[in-house]
Amino acid sequence: MATSSVSKGCFVFKPNFKKRKISVPVGDYFNKGKNESEDGKLRFETYQLIWQQMKSETEQLQEELNKNLFNSLIEFLQKSCSGFQKNSRDWGCQIKLREIPTAALILDIKHFLQKLASQLMGCCVDEDSKEGSIQVAQKRTHCSMDSLSSWYMNVTQKTDPKMPRKKRTSSSQWQSPPVVLILKDMESFTTKVLQDFIIISSQHLHEFPLILIFGIATSPIIIHRLLPHAVSSLLCIELFQSLSCKEHLTTVLDKLLLTTQFPFKLSEKVLQILTNIFLYHDFSIQNFIKGLQLSLLEHFYSQPLSVLCCNLPEAKRRINFLSDNQCENIRRLPSFRRYVEKQSSEKQIALLTDERSLKAETQSLLENLHVYHSNYFLVLRCLHQFTSSLPKYPLGRQIRELYCTCLEKNIWDSEEYVSAFQLLRMLAKDELMAILQKCFQVFKSSSEKQLGSTAKRIEEFLAQFQSLDEAKEEEDISGSQPKGLQKTDLYHLQKSLLEMKELRRTSKKQTRFEVLREKVVNFIESLVREYLLPPDTQPLHEVVYFSAAHTLREHLNAAPRIALHTALNNPYYYLKNEALKSEEGCIPNVAPDICIAYKLHLECSRLINLVDWSEAFATVVTAAEKMDASSVTSEERNEIIHARFIRAVSELELLGFIKPTKQKTDHVARLTWGGC
């Protein structure tokens, strides 16, 4: 190719061969930047296996919840449909003549109703009526109810001539099905249109049978807010509600974390980050599960010893093949170092120098960690049974709250724990027996030897409480009237009662029930102190617990506010202009107007006086101005500075740092605090 004049243009030489895409092995990419570990591929495969198991568990849970709600809705449709049958004589008893059967679904996942609608129309309606229903949904605004009624009569009178008459009568319930109209997002519908449609449909209900399904994302009260009483009285409403967001979160945690089925666990801070995002931001179970997946991925990526985060038999097998580097990683673990310090000097030397002794001890410690989790979750559930019904819920109403407290510290050192056990010592016998029965069912399923005997102990307590009832009955039969209450004179009777009350107060002798209740509470407290130790007290807990909360926060918590604060507070960080360099706490007078206004607003309280703010802005700006007094008057200069200030304030309001306030007309309210 000729290139006689380079100065006249640019020349591109395309290669004759095709570039091959370089594929990086998954294990190598997963191990990128982690030179101290050589088994990245195995860790990635373990991550994939655990995540697929967790994902399958969550999908099964969601399927069960959807199935229960779907079955209830189908039952409602069948019941409502049977009322529309022409041959049904008890129609007036089931539904009033002009009441439209209405199912209100209170859900948090919007796309679920779309799937539900397709399943209903596919399973419960034939093709003709299905098409008709779609036509109703599509032509509702421009066709009359008379034409819809005529369409419905034509569709329902059509029968398959090939179908025998016996088969038709056997399925008579579905010979003339009503039209099912699904409003998947009731809150978004125009109120007037919805009201008129319900009134008109009610007038034609005998010739155009209709069932409404409202999808509600907030609360069933929205029905009465959108529809006045005259319209809502035309609806025969039945509510169908799935689990609330908090209950759904508790169920997911119970399936994925409060179990020994999956070895992977979260530390208290990581779990708190995920739950806070859920409770205070989006109420999205899907996002919570994604956060859990990210935690799992980060754990296997950043922790070389996560190769042992698998089921116990496989972990023991992998320990035998650990390299010298991995053995050194075990010795560097803080929990293992604390464990070694408590051993005898001979064992310390063996664990720090002999690889075989180290591997054998690691297998034993991992087995102990597995037993610890088995006992931990059983006692945690038992303690939750005792504390979840106490007044004001000192240890939380949900088991996740109790779990976070137990992860953080020794729970018996907290004031809430002391308060809870004071209330437990005041439980009535019926309440205590009901809780013990639930705890017995929890421990009965245990395969552990130690907690298996705990189930027998609880069973003995229940038998003793039962014997108290029998002893009380015999006592009442043998002598129903106490010795000191034989006199019938009112004066002496009152005197005797006061003497007996004073005697009980001074003697402070506990009843048999109070003694037994104290034994039960002390027994539960001993279980808590023995089995609910924080995970960081266990050797090798770093293998299965992900604790890098700061890493997770960087990924999940969007941080545009931090970048924005950095740009406004220190414009040199991004602009790299030497003139913008300044000492910390100082405001450079050559900075952009919005940066000056922002740094001044950081020095203000909740309400910012616009006059004071403007004067401070003008003071900083005029220090950098070098205007010719002859060319620009002071009034013009003040107008220019004021216009620049108004523009900077408007930009800060647009960015969400301030907002107008009705408290004072010449003030604005500050919306951010702290460093940003």
Side-chain angles (χ1 to χ4, degrees):
M1 201 176 247
T3 57
S4 58
S5 178
V6 178
S7 63
K8 292 183 179 180
C10 298
F11 303 92
V12 178
F13 298 92
K14 295 183 178 180
N16 295 327
F17 60 90
K18 294 183 179 180
K19 292 185 177 179
R20 292 182 299 173
K21 186 177 180 180
I22 301 175
S23 58
V24 180
V26 177
D28 295 344
Y29 176 79
F30 192 75
N31 198 35
K32 184 179 180 181
K34 303 294 177 182
N35 298 324
E36 70 274 8
S37 178
E38 64 279 350
D39 49 13
K41 185 176 181 180
L42 180 59
R43 285 189 283 123
F44 182 75
E45 292 174 352
T46 308
Y47 152 75
Q48 286 183 314
L49 177 62
I50 295 179
W51 172 242
Q52 288 301 325
Q53 294 173 350
M54 286 186 166
K55 184 179 178 181
S56 176
E57 191 72 21
T58 54
E59 290 176 350
Q60 183 179 357
L61 172 62
Q62 188 64 48
E63 185 178 354
E64 292 176 358
L65 296 177
N66 294 349
K67 183 179 180 181
N68 295 335
L69 185 63
F70 183 73
N71 291 339
S72 300
L73 188 59
I74 288 294
E75 183 179 354
F76 167 78
L77 291 174
Q78 292 175 343
K79 180 179 64 175
S80 301
C81 181
S82 62
F84 281 113
Q85 301 305 317
K86 297 178 181 179
N87 298 329
S88 178
R89 296 183 179 180
D90 59 345
W91 158 245
C93 300
Q94 297 182 24
I95 309 177
K96 293 182 180 180
L97 185 60
R98 292 186 178 180
E99 281 188 350
I100 304 174
T102 305
L105 294 174
I106 295 90
L107 298 170
D108 299 302
I109 306 174
K110 189 174 179 180
H111 72 274
F112 169 71
L113 276 176
Q114 298 175 350
K115 296 183 179 179
L116 184 62
S118 63
Q119 291 175 2
L120 280 174
M121 299 177 72
C123 299
C124 304
V125 186
D126 58 14
E127 293 183 0
D128 292 334
S129 59
K130 176 181 177 182
E131 293 175 359
S133 299
I134 296 175
Q135 291 176 8
V136 171
Q138 293 176 347
K139 301 180 181 180
R140 183 172 70 244
T141 57
H142 63 269
C143 67
S144 64
M145 290 301 298
D146 292 335
S147 60
L148 290 176
S149 301
S150 302
W151 166 84
Y152 177 78
M153 293 297 296
N154 294 331
V155 171
T156 54
Q157 288 177 357
K158 291 180 181 180
T159 57
D160 190 354
K162 298 181 180 179
M163 182 183 295
R165 185 174 298 274
K166 293 183 179 180
K167 290 187 177 180
R168 294 181 204 166
T169 57
S170 62
S171 59
S172 59
Q173 182 183 4
W174 295 99
Q175 283 186 0
S176 300
V179 176
V180 179
L181 182 61
I182 301 175
L183 309 180
K184 66 179 182 179
D185 190 4
M186 184 182 181
E187 291 90 342
S188 65
F189 276 81
T190 305
T191 305
K192 181 62 177 175
V193 175
L194 187 60
Q195 292 177 10
D196 294 342
F197 176 76
I198 293 175
I199 294 174
I200 296 173
S201 301
S202 175
Q203 300 295 330
H204 295 78
L205 193 61
H206 60 285
E207 55 192 33
F208 184 69
L210 179 67
I211 297 178
L212 298 178
I213 298 179
F214 291 156
I216 301 174
T218 54
S219 170
I221 303 176
I222 195 65
I223 298 177
H224 302 287
R225 290 181 179 175
L226 295 178
L227 305 176
H229 177 71
V231 179
S232 62
S233 61
L234 300 176
L235 302 176
C236 181
I237 302 175
E238 187 169 345
L239 294 179
F240 301 91
Q241 186 167 1
S242 62
L243 287 178
S244 65
C245 294
K246 294 182 179 180
E247 292 174 346
H248 199 168
L249 174 63
T250 301
T251 306
V252 170
L253 288 177
D254 185 71
K255 292 288 186 180
L256 300 183
L257 295 180
L258 305 182
T259 177
T260 57
Q261 180 181 358
F262 306 110
F264 176 72
K265 299 290 180 288
L266 298 178
S267 68
E268 184 271 336
K269 291 184 179 179
V270 172
L271 182 58
Q272 200 66 48
I273 289 174
L274 294 179
T275 53
N276 286 344
I277 292 175
F278 176 85
L279 294 174
Y280 300 113
H281 289 81
D282 54 14
F283 284 104
S284 173
I285 290 293
Q286 185 178 5
N287 289 345
F288 179 85
I289 295 175
K290 287 182 178 179
L292 181 63
Q293 182 185 9
L294 177 61
S295 303
L296 181 67
L297 181 62
E298 280 291 334
H299 178 66
F300 278 91
Y301 178 76
S302 60
Q303 175 56 263
L305 292 174
S306 61
V307 68
L308 303 179
C309 183
C310 54
N311 60 76
L312 186 59
E314 177 64 18
K316 288 184 175 181
R317 188 191 68 82
R318 293 182 180 182
I319 289 175
N320 295 326
F321 299 97
L322 289 179
S323 64
D324 295 340
N325 291 334
Q326 289 287 55
C327 290
E328 288 300 321
N329 289 333
I330 294 177
R331 294 188 177 104
R332 294 192 191 102
L333 291 177
S335 63
F336 185 78
R337 295 173 64 180
R338 290 193 298 267
Y339 172 77
V340 173
E341 291 174 357
K342 298 178 182 179
Q343 307 304 314
S344 61
S345 58
E346 296 179 356
K347 192 171 184 178
Q348 288 181 3
I349 295 174
L351 293 176
L352 297 177
T353 57
D354 186 26
E355 306 295 338
R356 183 176 299 179
S357 300
L358 176 65
K359 292 180 179 180
E361 192 68 19
T362 302
Q363 291 178 340
S364 176
L365 292 176
L366 282 182
E367 185 174 357
N368 293 340
L369 186 62
H370 177 78
V371 175
Y372 160 80
H373 283 132
S374 301
N375 297 336
Y376 185 97
F377 294 128
L378 290 173
V379 177
L380 181 73
R381 297 179 193 279
C382 177
L383 180 60
H384 176 66
Q385 295 294 342
F386 273 91
T387 60
S388 59
S389 58
L390 293 178
K392 297 184 179 180
Y393 312 105
L395 290 178
R397 189 174 185 177
Q398 304 288 342
I399 193 172
R400 58 175 172 81
E401 300 172 289
L402 179 62
Y403 181 50
C404 286
T405 306
C406 294
L407 287 176
E408 182 182 7
K409 58 185 178 182
N410 294 331
I411 189 173
W412 52 85
D413 293 335
S414 63
E415 296 180 359
E416 294 81 6
Y417 177 86
V418 176
S419 175
F421 271 76
Q422 287 177 349
L423 294 173
L424 290 180
R425 289 182 168 88
M426 300 170 61
L427 286 178
K429 185 181 63 176
D430 295 339
E431 295 174 329
L432 193 57
M433 290 186 66
I435 295 174
L436 283 176
Q437 188 64 41
K438 295 178 182 178
C439 292
F440 174 73
Q441 297 299 329
V442 171
F443 288 112
K444 188 178 180 181
S445 60
S446 172
S447 59
E448 301 295 331
K449 296 181 180 179
Q450 294 176 344
L451 292 182
S453 61
T454 303
K456 296 181 180 179
R457 185 71 183 277
I458 294 179
E459 192 173 14
E460 292 175 1
F461 283 134
L462 289 171
Q464 292 176 16
F465 278 116
Q466 190 67 30
S467 64
L468 285 180
D469 292 337
E470 298 175 357
K472 184 177 180 181
E473 291 177 0
E474 294 177 358
E475 202 175 295
D476 293 340
I477 295 174
S478 61
S480 59
Q481 190 173 12
K483 182 178 181 181
L485 300 178
Q486 297 296 330
K487 299 177 181 180
T488 58
D489 183 68
L490 180 59
Y491 170 75
H492 292 90
L493 182 61
Q494 290 179 344
K495 185 178 180 180
S496 300
L497 288 173
L498 290 174
E499 290 176 354
M500 292 178 61
K501 183 178 180 181
E502 183 67 18
L503 181 63
R504 288 181 179 177
R505 188 181 68 83
T506 56
S507 62
K508 296 182 180 179
K509 184 178 180 180
Q510 290 183 322
T511 63
R512 292 181 58 189
F513 164 70
E514 292 173 343
V515 173
L516 186 56
R517 180 178 59 188
E518 187 69 21
K519 289 182 179 179
V520 172
V521 175
N522 291 337
F523 175 71
I524 298 301
E525 191 167 9
S526 65
L527 289 178
V528 171
R529 290 177 178 270
E530 182 177 359
Y531 295 107
L532 287 188
L533 295 169
D536 55 11
T537 61
Q538 305 301 310
L540 302 184
H541 72 274
E542 297 93 340
V543 172
V544 297
Y545 277 87
F546 175 67
S547 58
H550 62 283
T551 304
L552 186 67
R553 189 181 291 109
E554 290 176 357
H555 287 296
L556 293 183
N557 288 351
R561 180 73 70 187
I562 298 177
L564 193 57
H565 167 75
T566 304
L568 295 177
N569 191 53
N570 183 19
Y572 173 78
Y573 184 85
Y574 291 106
L575 298 179
K576 303 302 181 184
N577 188 338
E578 295 297 329
L580 296 176
K581 275 189 175 182
S582 63
E583 298 180 0
E584 186 176 356
C586 297
I587 303 177
N589 49 23
V590 294
D593 292 344
I594 188 175
C595 297
I596 297 174
Y598 177 79
K599 297 197 72 172
L600 289 172
H601 114 286
L602 292 179
E603 301 175 358
C604 300
S605 59
R606 185 174 64 88
L607 293 179
I608 306 176
N609 190 318
L610 286 173
V611 177
D612 297 340
W613 194 8
S614 176
E615 292 179 355
F617 178 84
T619 301
V620 176
V621 170
T622 53
E625 298 291 342
K626 295 182 180 179
M627 297 182 178
D628 188 358
S630 60
S631 61
V632 180
T633 64
S634 59
E635 293 181 357
E636 292 177 346
R637 183 182 61 182
N638 292 337
E639 289 179 359
I640 294 173
I641 294 176
H642 183 69
R644 291 168 57 184
F645 172 73
I646 294 299
R647 183 178 64 178
V649 171
S650 301
E651 291 172 348
L652 289 178
E653 182 181 356
L654 180 64
L655 293 174
F657 290 101
I658 58 174
K659 71 171 183 179
T661 177
K662 295 181 180 179
Q663 297 182 13
K664 295 183 179 180
T665 55
D666 57 345
H667 286 65
V668 292
R670 181 179 173 183
L671 299 179
T672 58
W673 302 99
C676 56

